[in-house]
Amino acid sequence: MSATIKDVALLAGVSTTTVSHVLNKTRFVAPATRERVLKAANELHYAPSAVARSLKVKTTKSLGMLVTTTLNPFFAEVVKEVERQCYQQGYTLVLCNTDGELEKTNAYLMMLAQKRVDGILVMCSEYDDSLFSAVIGKRDLPMVVMDWGPSGDYVDRIQDNSVKGAHLAVQHLVEQGHEAIAYIGGPLEKLPARQRYDGFLEAMHEAGLPVVPEWIIESNFEFEGGKLGMRRLLTSPALPSAVFIGNDAMAMGAMSEAQLSGVSIPETLSVVGYDNCFYSAYLTPPLTTIDQPKRRLAEQAVASMIERIDNPRQNGRLIMLEPDLVIRSSVKTMARC
C-alpha cells in the first residue's frame, strides 16, 4: 500500500498541514522541521497525488499543445524542442495532433481545458477563433501561438519574419544571376504562405524582375503539395531557371518530381526552400534554405507561457524571430553576360 501524507506526518512528528506546506513550498517552515519531513517522505517513498496537489495550488505543471501534424518535419522538430524546454522547466507536455481538421482541433481544445492544463501552445492552421476566445476567456487560460493559430489580446504570438525570409531567398537567387524565378507556396489564406509570397514579390520588384503568372503556383505545405506544384510548373511553355519554394517539405516533393521528370537540380533548375529542417542537408543536392530558428521559437514560446501563467492578466504581445539564409548546393551560379 502506498504511503499517505498522514504516514509522513506521523514519522516526522508534525501535522499533515506542515507536511503539505513543505512539499508544496506554500509557507516558510523551519529548516530542521523541513529536513525531517523530506527525510520521512523519502524513507516512505511518498508520492503526492498530482490531482490533489493541483486542486490545492491550482496548477497541474502541464501544458497542452495543438499542432497541425507531426508528419511535417518542421512541426516535428519544433515539438521536440518544446518538449525539451517543458522538461527543463518541470512541465509535462500534452500533445494533440489535429491533422488540420477543425472538428478535431475544437475537440482537443475542449479536452485540454477540461483537463485543467496550465496553458495551451498552439501551432495549427485550422481553428475557430470564437471558440478559442470563449474557452480562454472563461478560464483565463494562458495561450501562446507559435506562428500558426488564432490572434487576439488573449494570446502571445511568436512569429517568424516570413516576409524577410522570403526576401532573403529571392535576393540570393538574384545575386547568383537568376532572373527567371518561380514561386511554389502554400494556401494564401494561411498567414505564413501569404507573408512568404509577399516577401517574394517584394524582392522581385526590388530587383526589377518580371513576375510571370504561370510561375506562381499555390499548393499546400506538404510533400505532395510540392510534388503537384512542380508538376504544374513543368507544364509551363517556358521554364524558369530557379524556384523559391514555401517550405522544405514542399521543396523535397518538388525536387523529387523534377528529377523524375529529367530536370537536373541545380544544373537546369535551382531551388531554395524554407525552414532548414534536419533532412534538408541530406537531400541530393543538399538544399539551400531559409533557417527558421526552431530552438529559439520553442524557448521563447515556453518562456512566454510561464510568464503568462505567473501574470495571467497581461495583454497579448507579438514577438518576431529573424530568419537566416543557409547556403548549400541546390542553387547554380549563372554565367554573367
Side-chain angles (χ1 to χ4, degrees), residues 5-16 18-19 33 36-37 40-41 44:
I5 193 170
K6 290 182 180 179
D7 296 327
V8 176
L10 185 62
L11 183 59
V14 298
S15 68
T16 56
T18 299
V19 174
T33 303
R36 289 206 316 275
V37 169
L44 293 171

Side-chain angles (χ1 to χ4, degrees), residues 118-121 136 139-144 154 305 308-309 312:
D118 296 341
I120 299 178
L121 299 160
I136 300 307
R139 273 209 47 206
D140 201 18
L141 187 63
M143 177 177 285
V144 174
Y154 60 94
M305 175 60 73
R308 290 190 71 82
I309 291 170

Side-chain angles (χ1 to χ4, degrees), residues 30 43-44 49 52 57 78 96 101 105 121 124 132 140 150 173 180 194 206 210 216 218 241 262 304 310 322:
E43 289 179 6
L44 293 171
S49 164
V57 300
V78 172
C96 300
E101 298 174 11
T105 301
L121 299 160
C124 58
F132 270 82
D140 201 18
L173 290 171
R194 167 57 64 180
E206 184 179 286
I216 304 300
E218 183 179 353
S241 66
S304 295
D310 293 338
E322 299 301 322

